[in-house]
Amino acid sequence: MSVAKPSLASGRLTLKQALLTLMIAIMISLVSGSIELLGHASSMREDVQKRTLQQLAIVNGAAAEAAFQLNPDLAHQIAFGLFSNSDIAQVAIRDDFGRALAEFYPSQPTTTSLLGQRLFGDIVDHEMPLRYYMGSDMPEATVGHISLTLDATYLTQEFLARGYTVVGRSVLEAFLLSSLVIALFHIFITRPLLKVHAAITQTDPARPGQWPKPTLKGHHDDELGHLVESLDHLLNAFQSGLEQRDHLHQLSQYDGLTGVANRRHFDMFIAQQWQWAHRAKRPLSVIFIDIDNFKEFNDHYGHAMGDDTLRAVATALNQCIDPSRDLLARYGGEEFICVLPGKASGEAKCVANCLRQAVLSLAIPHAYSSTHSHLTASMGVATMTPEQPLSTDDLLGLADQQLYLAKRRGRNRVEIHERPA
């Protein structure tokens, strides 16, 4: 991406500020200016610290994602977005082993004046741990840290630029001209900044790239215009990072062959639904599904045909459940498992029969099956009720027992664990 060179018009805002500073400096008194300067030093320190912490908090999630994934490209985007701010001298993102994923330093060493050291020397260095949310049943883990150093020289220049506006202003003249100064400052600085602030507050954190980018009339080529463009680039970088995170999350939750949930997603889902069923005192049913004689099918028709068949079976099975509540997952090989929160054994048996018929409706020939001429599936059903609480392992064990019982009784059938009278 090519970077446009700043034109002569880019200094218009600086010129406006300089002229306004000169006008105010001529009209103020040294005493009142010095008092105001002392107050400004304190407020500027607070603002700098608050702004820096806000910047670190904003990028913490994306930087933690980069450190967790050991993704230097994403870390580079985040670090560059921070480094592009004028008040940041250097920034680094490191993983939990201390290895640098991204670092930016000034091209030439800078020296800090004595005034800068006195004013900002104790607040220029900042470091924040990067914490990554591993899951609902696990605490946040520290996966690295992000550190940045503010440019004390730049902060000093900002402080002095403000100081020049108040030095020499007399109390009487400040009172007479304050309304004019406020009006001019509002027109040229505050109002555009408020528009930028309003646009940021209206931004959806889930879609930062779609923020309502403001149009600042008269500021297209000055620093405020460049600020808006920098924010636009930064938010779009965040959007790219979020999309990459969502894509990786999807890849980690779904089976690449069939498109249904994978074993990892199933383990998390059933743990959550077991907790829900236990608290709400509702039933929880599971169905083990195994394609009959699938080894013989693969051996004679080939693994490519086997993969196509698994995809077709997964699609057919998914039509028998409510995706908003239930879960179909590939348990491994030719085995699938269905989790039915809130469904008792009778409802679960109806769903299992639908699943079995869905496989039959595919009418896939299986000439080498020892039991049937077309592809079939066996089901094992088990239900946990408030009256018969079970652990997840026991519930899955009962469903697995019923599946093997269906296999022994001739396959292509549903066996359900009945509660003893």
Side-chain angles (χ1 to χ4, degrees), residues 234-248:
L234 182 61
L235 292 174
N236 277 286
F238 288 161
Q239 181 70 54
S240 178
L242 290 175
E243 291 172 355
Q244 184 179 22
R245 180 201 64 184
D246 294 341
H247 178 65
L248 292 173

Side-chain angles (χ1 to χ4, degrees), residues 81 84-85 211 225-236:
S84 62
N85 294 330
W211 76 303
H226 295 321
L227 172 63
V228 172
E229 293 301 323
S230 296
L231 282 172
D232 187 55
H233 291 315
L234 182 61
L235 292 174
N236 277 286

Side-chain angles (χ1 to χ4, degrees), residues 275-342:
Q275 293 286 350
W276 171 83
H278 184 72
R279 291 194 305 267
K281 299 187 181 303
R282 296 293 306 278
L284 176 66
S285 297
V286 296
I287 305 172
F288 261 120
I289 307 158
D290 185 80
I291 302 175
D292 296 326
N293 302 307
F294 195 69
K295 182 180 184 302
E296 290 81 357
F297 188 94
N298 263 338
D299 290 343
H300 292 89
Y301 292 103
H303 288 279
M305 183 64 178
D307 289 347
D308 291 340
T309 299
L310 285 174
R311 281 190 286 265
V313 168
T315 301
L317 295 177
N318 237 343
Q319 296 174 357
C320 292
I321 67 171
D322 180 2
S324 64
R325 295 182 52 190
D326 310 328
L327 179 75
L328 175 70
R330 187 182 181 193
Y331 198 74
E334 69 274 16
E335 277 193 321
F336 295 85
I337 191 165
C338 188
V339 184
L340 305 172

